[in-house]
mmCIF file of all heavy atoms in Angstrom:
data_model
loop_
_atom_site.group_PDB
_atom_site.id
_atom_site.type_symbol
_atom_site.label_atom_id
_atom_site.label_comp_id
_atom_site.label_asym_id
_atom_site.label_seq_id
_atom_site.Cartn_x
_atom_site.Cartn_y
_atom_site.Cartn_z
ATOM 1 N N ALA A 45 -17.933 -11.312 -4.166
ATOM 2 C CA ALA A 45 -18.511 -10.829 -2.917
ATOM 3 C C ALA A 45 -18.437 -11.889 -1.826
ATOM 4 O O ALA A 45 -18.662 -13.077 -2.067
ATOM 5 C CB ALA A 45 -19.954 -10.398 -3.146
ATOM 6 N N GLY A 46 -18.098 -11.460 -0.625
ATOM 7 C CA GLY A 46 -17.970 -12.393 0.489
ATOM 8 C C GLY A 46 -17.678 -11.645 1.768
ATOM 9 O O GLY A 46 -17.987 -10.452 1.894
ATOM 10 N N ASN A 47 -17.070 -12.323 2.723
ATOM 11 C CA ASN A 47 -16.807 -11.736 4.027
ATOM 12 C C ASN A 47 -15.340 -11.373 4.204
ATOM 13 O O ASN A 47 -14.450 -12.010 3.643
ATOM 14 C CB ASN A 47 -17.211 -12.712 5.146
ATOM 15 C CG ASN A 47 -18.710 -12.930 5.215
ATOM 16 O OD1 ASN A 47 -19.494 -12.049 4.847
ATOM 17 N ND2 ASN A 47 -19.128 -14.087 5.691
ATOM 18 N N ILE A 48 -15.119 -10.321 5.000
ATOM 19 C CA ILE A 48 -13.777 -9.985 5.464
ATOM 20 C C ILE A 48 -13.847 -9.882 6.985
ATOM 21 O O ILE A 48 -14.932 -9.957 7.579
ATOM 22 C CB ILE A 48 -13.274 -8.642 4.887
ATOM 23 C CG1 ILE A 48 -14.145 -7.473 5.375
ATOM 24 C CG2 ILE A 48 -13.233 -8.698 3.362
ATOM 25 C CD1 ILE A 48 -13.542 -6.113 5.099
ATOM 26 N N GLN A 49 -12.688 -9.716 7.610
ATOM 27 C CA GLN A 49 -12.645 -9.478 9.045
ATOM 28 C C GLN A 49 -12.008 -8.116 9.302
ATOM 29 O O GLN A 49 -11.120 -7.677 8.568
ATOM 30 C CB GLN A 49 -11.869 -10.579 9.767
ATOM 31 C CG GLN A 49 -12.610 -11.914 9.795
ATOM 32 C CD GLN A 49 -11.920 -12.929 10.689
ATOM 33 O OE1 GLN A 49 -10.750 -13.216 10.501
ATOM 34 N NE2 GLN A 49 -12.646 -13.448 11.660
ATOM 35 N N ILE A 50 -12.488 -7.461 10.353
ATOM 36 C CA ILE A 50 -12.009 -6.120 10.698
ATOM 37 C C ILE A 50 -11.674 -6.056 12.181
ATOM 38 O O ILE A 50 -12.438 -6.527 13.027
ATOM 39 C CB ILE A 50 -13.052 -5.042 10.372
ATOM 40 C CG1 ILE A 50 -13.455 -5.091 8.893
ATOM 41 C CG2 ILE A 50 -12.524 -3.660 10.719
ATOM 42 C CD1 ILE A 50 -14.504 -4.065 8.515
ATOM 43 N N ASP A 51 -10.520 -5.474 12.479
ATOM 44 C CA ASP A 51 -10.156 -5.108 13.846
ATOM 45 C C ASP A 51 -10.259 -3.589 13.916
ATOM 46 O O ASP A 51 -9.482 -2.876 13.296
ATOM 47 C CB ASP A 51 -8.728 -5.588 14.151
ATOM 48 C CG ASP A 51 -8.224 -5.119 15.505
ATOM 49 O OD1 ASP A 51 -8.968 -4.422 16.223
ATOM 50 O OD2 ASP A 51 -7.068 -5.446 15.844
ATOM 51 N N TRP A 52 -11.207 -3.078 14.683
ATOM 52 C CA TRP A 52 -11.443 -1.641 14.758
ATOM 53 C C TRP A 52 -10.470 -0.933 15.695
ATOM 54 O O TRP A 52 -10.627 0.249 15.973
ATOM 55 C CB TRP A 52 -12.878 -1.354 15.172
ATOM 56 C CG TRP A 52 -13.881 -1.741 14.136
ATOM 57 C CD1 TRP A 52 -14.720 -2.812 14.157
ATOM 58 C CD2 TRP A 52 -14.151 -1.060 12.901
ATOM 59 N NE1 TRP A 52 -15.485 -2.848 13.022
ATOM 60 C CE2 TRP A 52 -15.173 -1.783 12.236
ATOM 61 C CE3 TRP A 52 -13.640 0.093 12.305
ATOM 62 C CZ2 TRP A 52 -15.678 -1.396 10.994
ATOM 63 C CZ3 TRP A 52 -14.147 0.479 11.074
ATOM 64 C CH2 TRP A 52 -15.155 -0.249 10.430
ATOM 65 N N GLY A 53 -9.451 -1.666 16.154
ATOM 66 C CA GLY A 53 -8.424 -1.056 16.984
ATOM 67 C C GLY A 53 -8.345 -1.593 18.391
ATOM 68 O O GLY A 53 -7.416 -1.267 19.137
ATOM 69 N N ASP A 54 -9.297 -2.456 18.763
ATOM 70 C CA ASP A 54 -9.310 -2.994 20.126
ATOM 71 C C ASP A 54 -8.817 -4.434 20.188
ATOM 72 O O ASP A 54 -8.876 -5.083 21.236
ATOM 73 C CB ASP A 54 -10.710 -2.917 20.724
ATOM 74 C CG ASP A 54 -11.759 -3.673 19.908
ATOM 75 O OD1 ASP A 54 -11.396 -4.263 18.863
ATOM 76 O OD2 ASP A 54 -12.939 -3.660 20.301
ATOM 77 N N GLY A 55 -8.329 -4.969 19.057
ATOM 78 C CA GLY A 55 -7.786 -6.325 19.038
ATOM 79 C C GLY A 55 -8.803 -7.416 18.780
ATOM 80 O O GLY A 55 -8.439 -8.591 18.700
ATOM 81 N N ASN A 56 -10.073 -7.054 18.624
ATOM 82 C CA ASN A 56 -11.119 -8.041 18.369
ATOM 83 C C ASN A 56 -11.484 -8.049 16.889
ATOM 84 O O ASN A 56 -11.715 -6.994 16.296
ATOM 85 C CB ASN A 56 -12.364 -7.720 19.203
ATOM 86 C CG ASN A 56 -12.114 -7.838 20.686
ATOM 87 O OD1 ASN A 56 -11.537 -8.817 21.140
ATOM 88 N ND2 ASN A 56 -12.539 -6.831 21.444
ATOM 89 N N LEU A 57 -11.547 -9.250 16.313
ATOM 90 C CA LEU A 57 -11.921 -9.382 14.907
ATOM 91 C C LEU A 57 -13.424 -9.571 14.784
ATOM 92 O O LEU A 57 -14.019 -10.402 15.474
ATOM 93 C CB LEU A 57 -11.199 -10.573 14.270
ATOM 94 C CG LEU A 57 -9.683 -10.454 14.109
ATOM 95 C CD1 LEU A 57 -9.122 -11.726 13.500
ATOM 96 C CD2 LEU A 57 -9.323 -9.255 13.247
ATOM 97 N N VAL A 58 -14.032 -8.793 13.902
ATOM 98 C CA VAL A 58 -15.452 -8.940 13.612
ATOM 99 C C VAL A 58 -15.610 -9.211 12.119
ATOM 100 O O VAL A 58 -14.822 -8.735 11.301
ATOM 101 C CB VAL A 58 -16.254 -7.691 14.014
ATOM 102 C CG1 VAL A 58 -16.178 -7.466 15.507
ATOM 103 C CG2 VAL A 58 -15.747 -6.457 13.281
ATOM 104 N N THR A 59 -16.613 -9.968 11.771
ATOM 105 C CA THR A 59 -16.867 -10.321 10.378
ATOM 106 C C THR A 59 -17.803 -9.303 9.747
ATOM 107 O O THR A 59 -18.784 -8.871 10.356
ATOM 108 C CB THR A 59 -17.474 -11.729 10.275
ATOM 109 O OG1 THR A 59 -16.562 -12.678 10.844
ATOM 110 C CG2 THR A 59 -17.737 -12.117 8.832
ATOM 111 N N ALA A 60 -17.485 -8.912 8.519
ATOM 112 C CA ALA A 60 -18.320 -7.953 7.792
ATOM 113 C C ALA A 60 -18.450 -8.410 6.342
ATOM 114 O O ALA A 60 -17.581 -9.112 5.810
ATOM 115 C CB ALA A 60 -17.715 -6.558 7.847
ATOM 116 N N THR A 61 -19.533 -8.015 5.710
ATOM 117 C CA THR A 61 -19.798 -8.390 4.323
ATOM 118 C C THR A 61 -19.188 -7.361 3.374
ATOM 119 O O THR A 61 -19.370 -6.152 3.547
ATOM 120 C CB THR A 61 -21.311 -8.474 4.072
ATOM 121 O OG1 THR A 61 -21.865 -9.464 4.937
ATOM 122 C CG2 THR A 61 -21.595 -8.855 2.624
ATOM 123 N N ALA A 62 -18.449 -7.841 2.382
ATOM 124 C CA ALA A 62 -17.853 -6.987 1.356
ATOM 125 C C ALA A 62 -18.503 -7.285 0.015
ATOM 126 O O ALA A 62 -18.995 -8.396 -0.218
ATOM 127 C CB ALA A 62 -16.351 -7.215 1.278
ATOM 128 N N GLY A 63 -18.484 -6.299 -0.878
ATOM 129 C CA GLY A 63 -19.049 -6.476 -2.199
ATOM 130 C C GLY A 63 -18.014 -6.916 -3.202
ATOM 131 O O GLY A 63 -17.075 -7.629 -2.872
ATOM 132 N N THR A 64 -18.172 -6.462 -4.432
ATOM 133 C CA THR A 64 -17.240 -6.809 -5.502
ATOM 134 C C THR A 64 -16.346 -5.604 -5.807
ATOM 135 O O THR A 64 -16.564 -4.502 -5.299
ATOM 136 C CB THR A 64 -17.992 -7.225 -6.768
ATOM 137 O OG1 THR A 64 -18.802 -6.117 -7.211
ATOM 138 C CG2 THR A 64 -18.883 -8.432 -6.504
ATOM 139 N N THR A 65 -15.370 -5.813 -6.669
ATOM 140 C CA THR A 65 -14.404 -4.762 -6.981
ATOM 141 C C THR A 65 -15.086 -3.488 -7.442
ATOM 142 O O THR A 65 -14.738 -2.387 -7.010
ATOM 143 C CB THR A 65 -13.430 -5.246 -8.073
ATOM 144 O OG1 THR A 65 -12.782 -6.440 -7.636
ATOM 145 C CG2 THR A 65 -12.381 -4.183 -8.375
ATOM 146 N N ASP A 66 -16.061 -3.590 -8.313
ATOM 147 C CA ASP A 66 -16.726 -2.415 -8.873
ATOM 148 C C ASP A 66 -18.028 -2.065 -8.164
ATOM 149 O O ASP A 66 -18.690 -1.086 -8.529
ATOM 150 C CB ASP A 66 -17.008 -2.634 -10.361
ATOM 151 C CG ASP A 66 -15.730 -2.731 -11.175
ATOM 152 O OD1 ASP A 66 -14.783 -1.974 -10.881
ATOM 153 O OD2 ASP A 66 -15.670 -3.581 -12.090
ATOM 154 N N ASN A 67 -18.397 -2.838 -7.174
ATOM 155 C CA ASN A 67 -19.636 -2.577 -6.430
ATOM 156 C C ASN A 67 -19.420 -2.958 -4.969
ATOM 157 O O ASN A 67 -19.986 -3.916 -4.461
ATOM 158 C CB ASN A 67 -20.799 -3.371 -7.036
ATOM 159 C CG ASN A 67 -22.145 -2.970 -6.451
ATOM 160 O OD1 ASN A 67 -22.305 -1.873 -5.917
ATOM 161 N ND2 ASN A 67 -23.125 -3.861 -6.552
ATOM 162 N N GLY A 68 -18.577 -2.176 -4.304
ATOM 163 C CA GLY A 68 -18.238 -2.472 -2.923
ATOM 164 C C GLY A 68 -19.391 -2.219 -1.973
ATOM 165 O O GLY A 68 -20.375 -1.555 -2.309
ATOM 166 N N VAL A 69 -19.241 -2.743 -0.761
ATOM 167 C CA VAL A 69 -20.250 -2.565 0.287
ATOM 168 C C VAL A 69 -19.666 -1.693 1.387
ATOM 169 O O VAL A 69 -18.535 -1.904 1.830
ATOM 170 C CB VAL A 69 -20.693 -3.929 0.862
ATOM 171 C CG1 VAL A 69 -21.561 -3.742 2.111
ATOM 172 C CG2 VAL A 69 -21.452 -4.725 -0.190
ATOM 173 N N LYS A 70 -20.451 -0.705 1.832
ATOM 174 C CA LYS A 70 -19.989 0.202 2.878
ATOM 175 C C LYS A 70 -20.098 -0.467 4.241
ATOM 176 O O LYS A 70 -21.131 -1.043 4.592
ATOM 177 C CB LYS A 70 -20.791 1.499 2.874
ATOM 178 C CG LYS A 70 -20.354 2.503 3.941
ATOM 179 C CD LYS A 70 -21.171 3.783 3.903
ATOM 180 C CE LYS A 70 -20.803 4.622 2.701
ATOM 181 N NZ LYS A 70 -21.450 5.985 2.780
ATOM 182 N N ILE A 71 -19.016 -0.348 5.012
ATOM 183 C CA ILE A 71 -18.943 -0.904 6.359
ATOM 184 C C ILE A 71 -18.581 0.238 7.298
ATOM 185 O O ILE A 71 -17.607 0.951 7.074
ATOM 186 C CB ILE A 71 -17.877 -2.011 6.451
ATOM 187 C CG1 ILE A 71 -18.129 -3.097 5.394
ATOM 188 C CG2 ILE A 71 -17.835 -2.617 7.847
ATOM 189 C CD1 ILE A 71 -16.948 -4.029 5.191
ATOM 190 N N THR A 72 -19.361 0.431 8.355
ATOM 191 C CA THR A 72 -19.145 1.537 9.282
ATOM 192 C C THR A 72 -18.825 1.004 10.667
ATOM 193 O O THR A 72 -19.437 0.030 11.125
ATOM 194 C CB THR A 72 -20.381 2.445 9.344
ATOM 195 O OG1 THR A 72 -20.635 2.967 8.037
ATOM 196 C CG2 THR A 72 -20.162 3.605 10.312
ATOM 197 N N GLY A 73 -17.851 1.633 11.316
ATOM 198 C CA GLY A 73 -17.483 1.225 12.662
ATOM 199 C C GLY A 73 -16.811 2.361 13.398
ATOM 200 O O GLY A 73 -16.539 3.426 12.842
ATOM 201 N N THR A 74 -16.535 2.131 14.688
ATOM 202 C CA THR A 74 -15.883 3.124 15.533
ATOM 203 C C THR A 74 -14.451 2.709 15.810
ATOM 204 O O THR A 74 -14.203 1.603 16.301
ATOM 205 C CB THR A 74 -16.641 3.289 16.859
ATOM 206 O OG1 THR A 74 -17.980 3.701 16.592
ATOM 207 C CG2 THR A 74 -15.971 4.337 17.740
ATOM 208 N N VAL A 75 -13.514 3.583 15.478
ATOM 209 C CA VAL A 75 -12.105 3.318 15.716
ATOM 210 C C VAL A 75 -11.832 3.428 17.212
ATOM 211 O O VAL A 75 -12.188 4.428 17.855
ATOM 212 C CB VAL A 75 -11.216 4.314 14.943
ATOM 213 C CG1 VAL A 75 -9.748 4.009 15.182
ATOM 214 C CG2 VAL A 75 -11.545 4.258 13.456
ATOM 215 N N LEU A 76 -11.178 2.395 17.770
ATOM 216 C CA LEU A 76 -10.952 2.319 19.208
ATOM 217 C C LEU A 76 -9.487 2.041 19.511
ATOM 218 O O LEU A 76 -8.692 1.776 18.619
ATOM 219 C CB LEU A 76 -11.811 1.192 19.810
ATOM 220 C CG LEU A 76 -13.332 1.270 19.599
ATOM 221 C CD1 LEU A 76 -13.973 -0.053 19.991
ATOM 222 C CD2 LEU A 76 -13.926 2.417 20.398
ATOM 223 N N GLY A 77 -9.144 2.089 20.776
ATOM 224 C CA GLY A 77 -7.850 1.589 21.262
ATOM 225 C C GLY A 77 -6.652 2.220 20.587
ATOM 226 O O GLY A 77 -6.289 3.359 20.847
ATOM 227 N N THR A 78 -6.023 1.472 19.687
ATOM 228 C CA THR A 78 -4.791 1.908 19.027
ATOM 229 C C THR A 78 -5.035 2.947 17.948
ATOM 230 O O THR A 78 -4.080 3.521 17.420
ATOM 231 C CB THR A 78 -4.082 0.712 18.377
ATOM 232 O OG1 THR A 78 -4.925 0.169 17.351
ATOM 233 C CG2 THR A 78 -3.770 -0.373 19.408
ATOM 234 N N ASN A 79 -6.293 3.167 17.588
ATOM 235 C CA ASN A 79 -6.670 4.060 16.476
ATOM 236 C C ASN A 79 -6.206 3.526 15.130
ATOM 237 O O ASN A 79 -6.149 4.269 14.152
ATOM 238 C CB ASN A 79 -6.128 5.480 16.688
ATOM 239 C CG ASN A 79 -6.676 6.128 17.936
ATOM 240 O OD1 ASN A 79 -7.814 5.885 18.319
ATOM 241 N ND2 ASN A 79 -5.863 6.942 18.592
ATOM 242 N N ILE A 80 -5.862 2.249 15.078
ATOM 243 C CA ILE A 80 -5.446 1.602 13.826
ATOM 244 C C ILE A 80 -6.452 0.515 13.479
ATOM 245 O O ILE A 80 -6.683 -0.413 14.269
ATOM 246 C CB ILE A 80 -4.039 1.001 13.944
ATOM 247 C CG1 ILE A 80 -3.010 2.106 14.214
ATOM 248 C CG2 ILE A 80 -3.670 0.241 12.667
ATOM 249 C CD1 ILE A 80 -1.608 1.593 14.422
#
Side-chain angles (χ1 to χ4, degrees):
N47 292 332
I48 64 167
Q49 289 188 304
I50 303 179
D51 174 0
W52 292 106
D54 58 0
N56 295 313
L57 292 178
V58 297
T59 300
T61 300
T64 61
T65 303
D66 294 321
N67 189 22
V69 170
K70 180 180 287 189
I71 305 166
T72 300
T74 301
V75 181
L76 302 168
T78 63
N79 299 327
I80 298 177

